[in-house]
Amino acid sequence: MARHAQSRAPRTRLSRRSKAVSGLALSTLIGTALWAWPASGDDHNSGTDAKSTMSTTASGPDTPRTPASAPKTAPNAAPNAPAARPIPGLSDAARKRIPADSRQVLVVTGQDLDSFKSQVILYTREEGSDDWEPGPTWSAHNAARGWTDDHRYGDLRSPIGVYPLTDAGGLLPAPEGTKLPYDRNNSFVADGTGVEGEPLAGAFDYVIAINYNREPGTSPLDQQRPLGAAKGGGVWLHVDHDGPTQGCISLKPRVMRELLRTLDPDLHPVIVMGPADY
């Protein structure tokens, strides 16, 4: 994902393929503010926007991947109750990290540990139900070197884990019907080119912050790193620029608009992200 220029503008209610070849030069991105950044990943300029009134606990350190084993029935279900439909393709460890009150789960599944290509499905469930209903399947990009359960600044891998989605923003105004707090800010700029030479303009037209090593309830531009700077940060969902990222998940503009209209803080949305069988 690109590094992102930070301004102190008031808040309005916010990854690229590495060919792993030594000496690959990353193009410099020129922001409209005082800083320039490379594309899609760790790091933003220092500065903090005012917090919203939302209070959500960030997820802890990543849980190592374990083989998937789906429960057949919901906890405390009657002996003859119909089998619940859990989210497929997840390990027990990942399922247990999904908050009990979450009714929206965005599942990002990488092709394998080292791949930068992913697919994304939004699962939803009705109140009181244990049946997860899948939505459409969307293609996406993740970090250039794939995935890690110990993300570090600049490693060009996306962090594996389960993280709340609480804040959004972008260079463009929020799509009508957006429910997440949205910071419309001119500092959401991504100029220059990505690892494969693809243009980055428009990558931050729409952004949803992934609560990896960040303070919930703040703009995606916020620079607080609760786990320390070495663990990286600035991991977002953002507009796809037809190439891999530094750590983010990128999706087509229409998909970003759909997610902004659909994700609802009252339904406690989270993202589950990692390679296949995480």
Side-chain angles (χ1 to χ4, degrees), residues 99-103 123-133:
D101 60 357
S102 178
R103 292 167 51 196
Y123 289 85
T124 60
R125 67 178 178 88
E126 297 295 330
E127 186 173 7
S129 172
D130 293 312
D131 292 339
W132 288 96
E133 298 289 344

Side-chain angles (χ1 to χ4, degrees), residues 1 7 37 39 93 96 100 148 169 174 192 199 208 213 230 237 255 269:
M1 135 180 1
S7 76
W37 309 96
K96 289 175 181 177
T148 180
I208 300 171
N213 199 19
L237 294 159
V255 179

Side-chain angles (χ1 to χ4, degrees), residues 50-62:
K51 293 184 180 180
S52 76
T53 57
M54 292 183 61
S55 176
T56 305
T57 302
S59 61
D62 297 317

Side-chain angles (χ1 to χ4, degrees), residues 15 31 60 103 117-118 132-133 146 150 194 207 212 220 243 246 262 271:
S15 59
R103 292 167 51 196
K117 293 183 179 181
S118 303
W132 288 96
E133 298 289 344
D150 186 20
V207 164
Y212 168 80
Q246 285 190 8
T262 304
I271 185 170

Side-chain angles (χ1 to χ4, degrees), residues 58-81:
S59 61
D62 297 317
T63 300
R65 291 171 289 115
T66 58
S69 178
K72 296 183 181 300
T73 58
N76 302 320
N80 296 323

